[in-house]
């Protein structure tokens, strides 16, 4: 009965009759399960769309408490579609939607990553079709997600590069709008890259054949920059809801060909493990919101499917009263939302986290214009105990891949060694491993690595005792020969 209104009592009667009839027939049992799941899907859609449509700066805490009881893992496609649609219809509320997504991303990173992926795909499609309106909506949302540290700043720089590569009136106008939103953050994180972007704007202003109106927009942008982007702070007042240590940044690239928007999540699909998945999300929900909402959840599951909005509002108010003490700075304090209960520990044997760490280190190094900036970014990376050696190895590997040696890498190594002797120990171990595997490197790689360690020795960043490995290896070679 899709598309027709059905009173809640009649819906319950229909589901009860289907359940009774299913006792004698397995096929009817499957049909009854599908009817139940479809009703749950429709209820989930209402519980997601309703709060998103009424969120604002003053009630964002209550909206978050109202959203988390809904199964956002199963309904992540619905959530992303609803947020993107609401933002495109009301762009002035983009900072509010970005703050909402930022809090949910700290607990359910899979939701934030899917939303960012869909926005990148939307921007790519709109840019290819010259759809200016959708481009503006997408880049506005991406800009504020970057300000909230959901998206990496590299994505913002890639978008600016694409827009200014072949400047037209529309592309420059979109780039100016994007820079107004994200400029304050880029000025804090990558000021030298920001200078290069404004040099491009300056050359477009003087050399490119663009409309007078667009030229005036660029001039206003320069004035905006001189004032320190006062009209567009990084995060508006009342929307700084996530602590720095809780932020989860997704490194979605604009030129990634493997992006998948997972559009199949927007429509209903029967789940064979529906009950188990619902129980798992209940456990996740209790970790996020606490244990005080169990009774309300059971009431919603049993009799709350009536769909009355008054019951939903009263339930959310009672939840807000019981959980208000767990909200600090507007964000719900809890453990990571995607983690299973503490008794279960998952060991990643695919080394996915190690690959992501190496990628983060590589991007931090290659996106920096000075060794101070690179060292600062590397020291801010959260590295788990036992993985410190990976940072040292990646710095050496990046250095070896260059055509000629760059002092940039030696200065990074020197700064790390002098900041903390832990890194000096790591580079000392890396020296020994490089020497043992020297026969595997090409000549150019050996030259760059030698220059790198020579810089560290000359600057007293490493002790000369590391050369002892050369003597030990020579003794081993003599034993092998004789």
């Amino acid at each position: 009965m899709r598309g027709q209104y059905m009173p809640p009592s009649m819906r319950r009667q229909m589901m009860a009759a289907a359940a009774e009839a299913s006792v004698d027939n397995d096929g009817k049992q499957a049909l009854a399960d599908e009817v139940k799941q479809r009703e749950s899907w429709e209820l989930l859609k209402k519980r997601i769309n309703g709060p998103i449509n009424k969120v604002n700066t003053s009630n964002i805490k209550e909206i978050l408490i109202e959203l988390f009881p809904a199964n956002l893992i199963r309904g992540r496609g619905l959530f992303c579609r609803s947020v993107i649609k609401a933002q495109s219809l009301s762009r002035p509320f983009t900072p509010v939607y970005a703050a909402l997504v930022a809090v949910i991303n700290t607990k359910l990173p899979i939701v934030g990553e899917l939303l960012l992926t869909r926005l990148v795909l939307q921007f790519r499609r709109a840019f290819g079709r010259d759809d200016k309106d959708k481009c503006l909506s997408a880049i506005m949302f991406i800009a504020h997600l970057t300000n909230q540290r959901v998206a990496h700043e590299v994505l913002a720089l890639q978008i600016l590069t694409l827009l200014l590569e072949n400047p037209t009136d529309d592309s420059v106008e979109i780039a100016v709008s994007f820079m107004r939103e994200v400029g304050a953050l880029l000025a804090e994180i990558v000021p030298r890259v920001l200078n290069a972007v404004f040099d491009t704007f300056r050359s477009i202003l003087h050399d490119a054949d663009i409309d007078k109106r667009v030229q005036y927009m660029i001039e206003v942008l320069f004035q905006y920059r001189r004032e320190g982007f006062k009209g567009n702070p990084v995060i508006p007042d009342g929307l700084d809801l996530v602590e720095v240590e809780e932020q989860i940044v997704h490194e979605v690239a604009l030129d990634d060909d493997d992006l998948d928007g997972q559009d199949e999540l927007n429509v209903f699909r029967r789940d064979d493990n529906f009950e188990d998945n619902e129980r798992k999300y209940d456990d996740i929900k209790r970790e996020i919101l606490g244990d005080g909402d169990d009774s309300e959840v059971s009431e919603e599951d049993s009799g709350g499917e009536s769909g009355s909005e008054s019951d939903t509002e009263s339930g959310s108010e009672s939840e807000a009263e019981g959980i208000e003490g767990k909200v600090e700075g507007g964000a719900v304090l809890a453990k990571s939302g995607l983690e299973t209960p503490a008794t279960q520990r998952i060991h990643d044997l695919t080394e996915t986290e190690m690959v992501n760490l190496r990628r983060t280190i590589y991007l931090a190094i290659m996106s920096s214009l000075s060794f101070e900036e690179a060292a600062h970014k590397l020291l801010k990376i959260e590295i788990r105990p036992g993985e410190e050696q990976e940072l040292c190895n990646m710095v050496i590997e990046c250095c070896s891949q260059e055509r000629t040696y760059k002092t940039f890498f030696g200065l990074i190594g020197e700064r790390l060694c002098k900041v903390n002797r832990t890194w000096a120990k790591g580079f000392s171990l890396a020296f020994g491993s490089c020497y043992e595997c020297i026969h595997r490197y090409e000549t150019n790689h050996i030259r760059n690595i030698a220059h790198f360690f020579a810089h560290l020795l000359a600057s007293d960043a490493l002790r000369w005792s590391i050369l002892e490995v050369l003597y030990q290896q020579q003794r081993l070679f003599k034993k092998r020969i004789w």
Side-chain angles (χ1 to χ4, degrees):
M1 300 191 120
R2 294 186 63 187
Q4 297 181 2
Y5 172 74
M6 180 183 296
S9 59
M10 186 179 298
R11 183 184 296 113
R12 287 194 296 270
Q13 291 176 3
M14 184 187 70
M15 294 178 63
E20 292 177 359
S22 64
V23 175
D24 302 328
N25 194 321
D26 294 339
K28 292 183 179 180
Q29 175 68 42
L31 179 61
D33 290 342
E34 184 173 350
V35 171
K36 180 180 179 181
Q37 291 186 28
R38 190 178 295 277
E39 293 296 330
S40 175
W41 177 264
E42 295 298 328
L43 179 62
L44 177 63
K45 189 186 299 184
K46 293 178 182 178
R47 295 177 66 184
I48 290 176
N49 292 339
I52 289 176
N53 290 333
K54 61 183 181 182
V55 65
N56 55 52
T57 305
S58 60
N59 68 356
I60 189 170
K61 298 179 185 179
E62 291 77 13
I63 294 299
L64 283 166
I65 298 174
E66 190 175 345
L67 274 174
F68 274 118
N71 191 338
L72 293 180
I73 295 180
R74 183 189 182 204
R76 59 186 182 276
L78 296 175
F79 175 82
C80 295
R81 183 177 65 177
S82 180
V83 170
I84 292 175
K85 182 178 179 180
Q87 182 270 338
S88 64
L89 294 176
S90 53
R91 289 180 195 165
F93 283 86
T94 303
V96 179
Y97 295 119
L100 181 74
V101 173
V103 176
I104 294 177
N105 182 66
T106 61
K107 312 304 175 187
L108 304 172
I110 191 174
V111 179
E113 184 178 12
L114 177 61
L115 177 67
L116 185 59
T117 300
R118 288 191 176 185
L119 287 172
V120 171
L121 292 174
Q122 176 181 324
F123 171 73
R124 285 180 4 187
R125 286 194 299 267
F127 185 79
R129 298 171 184 172
D130 292 333
D131 191 338
K132 179 180 175 182
D133 188 61
K134 287 188 176 181
C135 274
L136 283 172
S137 297
I139 62 107
M140 283 274 289
F141 211 160
I142 292 174
H144 285 282
L145 289 178
T146 305
N147 291 339
Q148 290 282 355
R149 307 305 293 143
V150 176
H152 200 276
E153 64 270 13
V154 173
L155 176 60
L157 299 175
Q158 289 178 332
I159 292 175
L160 288 170
T161 302
L162 177 64
L163 292 173
L164 301 179
E165 185 177 8
N166 296 310
T168 62
D169 290 344
D170 289 340
S171 68
V172 175
E173 182 178 351
I174 295 173
V176 170
S177 301
F178 184 67
M179 182 57 71
R180 286 172 67 97
E181 303 297 333
V182 81
L185 177 71
L186 296 181
E188 294 179 4
I189 299 179
V190 283
R192 297 199 176 188
V193 177
L194 186 68
N195 293 337
V197 173
F198 271 94
D199 289 341
T200 305
F201 275 117
R202 187 177 291 107
S203 63
I204 292 174
L205 179 63
H206 294 157
D207 302 333
D209 186 14
I210 56 176
D211 189 68
K212 292 289 185 182
R213 179 180 63 86
V214 181
Q215 293 180 5
Y216 177 73
M217 292 179 66
I218 297 177
E219 293 175 355
V220 172
L221 179 63
F222 275 95
Q223 178 63 30
Y224 217 62
R225 184 196 183 193
R226 285 191 289 270
E227 295 174 354
F229 299 96
K230 290 182 179 179
N232 290 80
V234 178
I235 300 178
D237 295 337
L239 298 178
D240 190 5
L241 307 179
V242 181
E243 299 294 336
V244 176
E245 58 272 11
E246 294 183 351
Q247 294 173 346
I248 300 177
V249 184
H250 299 288
E251 298 175 354
V252 178
L254 186 63
D255 55 352
D256 191 349
D257 296 330
D258 298 330
L259 295 180
D260 183 11
Q262 302 181 36
D263 295 331
E264 66 275 5
L265 297 176
N266 297 342
V267 296
F268 169 76
R269 287 177 178 269
R270 187 175 183 276
D271 186 4
D272 295 333
N273 300 319
F274 175 74
E275 298 295 340
D276 293 338
N277 291 333
E278 288 294 318
R279 281 193 293 270
K280 290 178 181 178
Y281 187 78
D282 287 341
D283 295 337
I284 295 174
K285 177 175 59 179
R286 280 191 290 271
E287 289 185 6
I288 297 174
L289 298 178
D291 298 329
D293 61 333
D294 293 343
S295 60
E296 295 185 13
V297 173
S298 61
E299 290 177 2
E300 288 181 359
D301 291 341
S302 59
E305 294 183 356
S306 61
S308 62
E309 296 181 358
S310 60
D311 293 342
T312 304
E313 292 178 359
S314 62
S316 63
E317 290 176 0
S318 59
E319 286 175 342
E321 292 175 359
I323 307 168
E324 187 67 27
K326 296 178 183 278
V327 178
E328 178 177 342
V332 182
L333 296 180
K335 298 179 181 178
S336 176
L338 281 183
E339 290 182 357
T340 55
T343 57
Q344 182 180 1
R345 180 172 297 177
I346 299 175
H347 298 280
D348 184 12
L349 300 180
T350 62
E351 296 188 350
T352 303
E353 295 183 355
M354 182 64 69
V355 173
N356 291 335
L357 175 62
R358 291 170 62 88
R359 181 182 179 186
T360 302
I361 295 171
Y362 175 80
L363 290 175
I365 295 174
M366 304 311 292
S367 63
S368 303
L369 294 181
S370 65
F371 75 93
E372 295 99 338
E373 180 184 349
H376 179 68
K377 288 183 178 180
L378 292 175
L379 291 173
K380 288 179 63 178
I381 296 175
E382 294 183 2
I383 300 178
R384 296 181 301 181
E387 295 182 351
E388 295 86 355
Q389 188 63 35
E390 198 62 34
L391 187 145
C392 302
N393 294 339
M394 277 301 298
V395 173
I396 297 172
E397 187 174 340
C398 291
C399 176
S400 67
Q401 296 297 326
E402 298 292 334
R403 291 186 178 180
T404 58
Y405 172 73
K406 293 184 178 179
T407 313
F408 171 77
F409 295 100
L411 293 172
I412 293 176
E414 179 185 352
R415 176 60 61 87
L416 292 176
C417 291
K418 292 183 177 179
V419 167
N420 193 330
R421 298 305 299 177
T422 302
W423 306 118
K425 182 179 178 181
F427 283 113
S428 299
L429 295 175
F431 178 80
S433 61
C434 287
Y435 187 75
E436 291 178 2
C437 303
I438 196 171
H439 57 282
R440 300 179 183 177
Y441 292 105
E442 297 179 2
T443 304
N444 187 58
H445 293 174
I446 297 175
R447 184 184 299 111
N448 289 345
I449 295 174
H451 276 90
F452 176 81
F453 283 107
H455 179 100
L456 297 186
L457 291 170
S459 59
D460 291 331
L462 291 182
R463 297 176 180 176
W464 288 82
S465 58
I466 67 169
L467 298 179
E468 183 182 3
V469 69
L470 305 182
Y471 175 70
Q472 294 176 353
Q473 291 293 331
Q474 288 177 359
R475 292 182 60 186
L476 290 175
F477 292 153
K478 290 179 179 179
K479 290 182 179 179
R480 291 174 186 173
I481 295 174
W482 301 109

